[in-house]
């Protein structure tokens, strides 16, 4: 069984009724669907193990149902539930257990109820780690957009909260990076054919790198508020941000981005890359303007003009992102962009007023191409992530048929019939 549109049950499911505000982009949050893990495993492993697995997964299902409407404590509780469940479900992936394809695991997207059900324990493990990453991004977004703030006004986010956001982003990047290099490689190609688009290798890589890019975005915002941070440091961070967003965009070049998730992610990366380029050219111009030669000033004005043009394009790209399905809104400019929408056009105009005569004196230099942005080694790496050890409940499990007493068998039948 593969992926497809799920059929709403009689109770119905809660959809998002409000337009989400996005500072940190989350492509989609997938939640587990109630799955019968008891019947497929009955008689193969102990009743205690089956009950433990079923109980932990049921807890995750219950906590995940309303996560979009949850607060920080709800996110933390769900993260703990996933961390408790993962060591138990990992036991199904062990070769000696011969149980990897024994259970049909099902997950759905909260946005549109698209459901994907596959008989693969590795798919379940990948989905758990993917959800841990998405929750880390969700947590970062909550910290940057306090829910008690007034719409349309500046949000007050403390420096400590911004540093916590960086930690969350690095954790998300680490989970996704580990998924690409240590989980996807364990899954047969035939199973991966049934994957939804947002579990493609390139998509996971793109979100991992996007998380690093947004870490740099936070760091650059902090540097812009620090008197001790030099122009060179700010330029380096701005250029790194461009590199990260460009690299994330490149990861999608071989992916199927025809669905709403892929299109939304492409538009987000395009918008953020333009913002980053505008800031990078702005700081590059200020560094060049420190030079004493006329060509330095001409190059600086060219960079500022480019920054102004790119900034105008980024505003249009932001609107396209917001209007793409699912419709979102962005907070008022924050971090480094809070002042750039005024600074860039103002400084560009003033510098041209000062150095405009140089363009008349040296028209050949004035017509030169825009200087390239400097390239710097990328300083951030995904946070190290490793699987936890398999739960001790799997010790001495040989997966041979378990002999049940008549009483135990009848009790199991009674439980099944009462569901």
């Amino acid at each position: 069984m593969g992926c497809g549109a799920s059929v709403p049950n009689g109770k119905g499911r809660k959809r998002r009724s409000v337009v989400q505000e996005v500072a940190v982009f989350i492509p989609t949050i997938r939640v587990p669907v109630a799955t019968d893990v008891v019947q497929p495993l009955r008689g193969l492993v102990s009743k205690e193990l089956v009950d433990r697995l079923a109980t932990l997964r049921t807890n995750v299902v219950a906590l995940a149902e309303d996560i979009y409407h949850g607060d920080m404590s709800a996110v933390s509780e769900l993260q703990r539930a996933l961390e408790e469940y993962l060591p138990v479900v990992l036991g199904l992936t062990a070769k000696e257990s011969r149980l990897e394809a024994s259970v049909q695991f099902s997950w759905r997207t909260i946005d549109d109820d698209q459901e994907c059900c596959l008989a693969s324990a590795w798919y379940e493990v990948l989905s758990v780690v993917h959800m841990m990453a998405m929750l880390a991004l969700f947590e970062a977004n909550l910290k940057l957009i306090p829910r008690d703030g007034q719409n349309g006004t500046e949000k007050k986010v403390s420096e400590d909260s911004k540093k916590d956001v960086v930690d969350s982003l690095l954790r998300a990047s680490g989970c996704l990076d580990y998924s690409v290099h240590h989980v996807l490689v364990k899954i047969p190609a035939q199973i991966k054919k049934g994957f939804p688009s947002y579990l493609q290798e390139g998509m996971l890589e793109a979100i991992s790198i996007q998380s690093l890019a947004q870490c740099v975005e936070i760091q650059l915002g902090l540097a812009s508020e620090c008197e001790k941070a030099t122009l060179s440091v700010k330029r380096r961070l701005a250029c790194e941000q461009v590199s990260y967003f460009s690299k994330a965009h490149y990861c999608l070049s071989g992916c199927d981005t025809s669905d709403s998730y892929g299109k939304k992610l492409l538009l987000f990366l395009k918008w953020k890359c333009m913002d980053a380029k505008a800031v990078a050219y702005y700081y590059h111009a200020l560094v060049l303007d420190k030079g004493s030669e006329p060509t330095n000033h001409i190059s600086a004005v060219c960079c500022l003009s480019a920054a102004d043009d790119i900034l105008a394009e980024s505003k249009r790209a932001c609107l396209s992102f917001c209007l793409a399905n699912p419709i979102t809104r962005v907070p008022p400019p924050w971090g480094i962009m809070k002042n750039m929408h005024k600074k860039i056009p103002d400084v560009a105009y003033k510098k041209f007023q000062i150095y405009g005569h140089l363009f008349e004196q040296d028209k050949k230099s004035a017509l030169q191409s825009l200087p390239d942005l400097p390239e710097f080694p990328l300083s951030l790496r995904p946070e190290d992530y490793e699987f936890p050890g398999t739960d001790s409940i799997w010790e001495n499990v040989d997966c041979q048929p378990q002999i049940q007493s008549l009483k135990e068998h009848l009790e199991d039948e009674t439980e099944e019939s009462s569901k």
Side-chain angles (χ1 to χ4, degrees):
M1 185 175 179
C3 304
S6 65
V7 180
N9 57 30
K11 296 179 182 178
R13 284 173 176 151
K14 290 184 180 179
R15 296 286 189 88
R16 287 194 292 174
S17 58
V18 296
V19 177
Q20 294 293 301
E21 195 168 3
V22 175
V24 172
F25 181 59
I26 311 154
T28 182
I29 291 184
R30 304 167 65 244
V31 296
V33 177
T35 300
D36 181 9
V37 300
V38 175
Q39 185 64 34
L41 296 175
R42 177 181 292 159
L44 296 177
V45 295
S46 69
K47 185 176 184 300
E48 178 191 8
L49 197 159
V50 173
D51 289 346
R52 178 94 182 276
L53 185 68
T55 299
L56 291 175
R57 194 176 195 278
T58 299
N59 186 41
V60 173
V61 171
L63 292 173
E65 187 63 31
D66 293 321
I67 192 60
Y68 259 139
H69 304 285
D71 54 14
M72 293 297 299
S73 62
V75 173
S76 298
E77 187 178 6
L78 180 52
Q79 282 279 18
R80 286 193 296 272
L82 290 167
E83 290 166 2
E84 190 177 4
Y85 172 58
L86 184 56
V88 180
V89 76
L90 272 172
L92 292 175
T93 66
K95 287 184 178 180
E96 58 271 20
S97 77
R98 301 186 294 278
L99 297 172
E100 200 278 328
S102 59
V103 180
Q104 292 263 0
F105 289 106
S106 185
W107 289 68
R108 69 176 177 86
T109 54
I110 291 182
D111 292 292
D112 56 12
D113 279 349
Q114 288 293 315
E115 193 169 315
C116 186
C117 182
L118 294 169
S120 169
W122 277 117
Y123 166 67
E124 176 78 348
V125 167
L126 175 63
S127 296
V128 169
V129 178
H130 180 267
M131 187 178 196
M132 291 167 68
M134 296 303 105
L135 287 178
L137 295 179
F138 187 65
E139 182 180 60
N141 196 59
L142 284 179
K143 289 175 180 175
L144 288 175
I145 305 177
R147 293 195 172 184
D148 56 353
Q150 297 296 316
N151 291 335
T153 61
E154 182 182 342
K155 306 295 193 296
K156 299 295 184 182
V157 181
S158 69
E159 183 173 329
D160 287 341
S161 290
K162 290 176 183 177
K163 290 177 180 178
D164 288 342
V165 169
V166 170
D167 291 340
S168 296
L169 292 169
L170 289 175
R171 187 167 69 253
S173 182
C175 288
L176 294 169
D177 185 70
Y178 188 88
S179 296
V180 169
H181 295 104
H182 299 281
V183 182
L184 280 180
V185 294
K186 303 284 183 64
I187 301 175
Q190 190 62 32
I191 295 293
K192 284 191 278 193
K193 286 181 180 179
F195 277 10
S197 62
Y198 37 80
L199 290 184
Q200 297 173 88
E201 179 177 339
M203 191 76 77
L204 297 178
E205 285 182 325
I207 303 300
S208 176
I209 297 169
Q210 171 213 309
S211 300
L212 298 179
Q214 295 208 259
C215 282
V216 179
E217 183 180 13
I218 301 280
Q219 292 176 334
L220 181 55
L222 291 171
S224 69
E225 298 168 359
C226 177
E227 294 181 359
K228 294 181 180 179
T230 64
L231 280 178
S232 296
V233 167
K234 295 172 187 175
R235 179 180 66 171
R236 176 179 180 132
L237 288 171
C239 290
E240 281 193 48
Q241 191 183 355
V242 173
S243 297
Y244 279 119
F245 277 123
S246 299
K247 190 176 178 182
H249 194 279
Y250 177 77
C251 287
L252 296 176
S253 58
C255 293
D256 176 9
T257 55
S258 59
D259 62 9
S260 59
Y261 303 108
K263 291 175 182 177
K264 191 82 172 175
L265 177 57
L266 279 171
L267 289 170
F268 178 79
L269 293 175
K270 179 181 178 181
W271 162 43
K272 299 302 285 189
C273 195
M274 285 182 175
D275 269 1
K277 280 185 178 180
V279 176
Y281 274 119
Y282 171 78
Y283 281 121
H284 190 40
L286 298 188
V287 172
L288 290 173
D289 198 44
K290 295 287 185 181
S292 57
E293 298 296 323
T295 53
N296 296 134
H297 304 309
I298 290 174
S299 294
V301 172
C302 287
C303 286
L304 287 168
S305 177
D308 196 21
D309 290 342
I310 295 170
L311 191 63
E313 289 182 40
S314 79
K315 292 176 182 177
R316 292 190 289 271
C318 176
L319 181 61
S320 296
F321 164 72
C322 290
L323 294 178
N325 187 47
I327 294 175
T328 49
R329 55 194 172 93
V330 296
W334 59 278
I336 189 63
M337 297 308 297
K338 185 168 63 175
N339 299 315
M340 285 296 159
H341 288 282
K342 185 175 188 304
K343 271 187 178 181
I344 289 176
D346 285 356
V347 174
Y349 176 78
K350 289 176 182 176
K351 292 297 181 183
F352 187 79
Q353 291 293 311
I354 296 171
Y355 299 120
H357 66 282
L358 295 177
F359 284 78
E360 293 299 322
Q361 295 173 9
D362 193 350
K363 292 185 178 181
K364 185 177 179 180
S365 295
L367 294 174
Q368 68 183 346
S369 60
L370 181 69
D372 291 330
L373 289 171
E375 294 186 11
F376 299 98
L378 300 180
S379 57
L380 289 181
R381 296 289 182 272
E383 182 178 283
D384 289 337
Y385 175 80
E386 291 185 0
F387 276 149
T390 302
D391 194 281
S392 59
I393 199 171
W394 282 95
E395 291 178 5
N396 303 319
V397 172
D398 58 10
C399 299
Q400 297 300 317
Q402 304 287 307
I403 299 175
Q404 286 183 304
S405 68
L406 178 60
K407 181 180 178 182
E408 289 174 330
H409 178 72
L410 291 174
E411 286 176 349
D412 284 348
E413 290 297 323
T414 302
E415 289 177 6
E416 281 296 310
S417 61
S418 65
K419 289 181 180 178

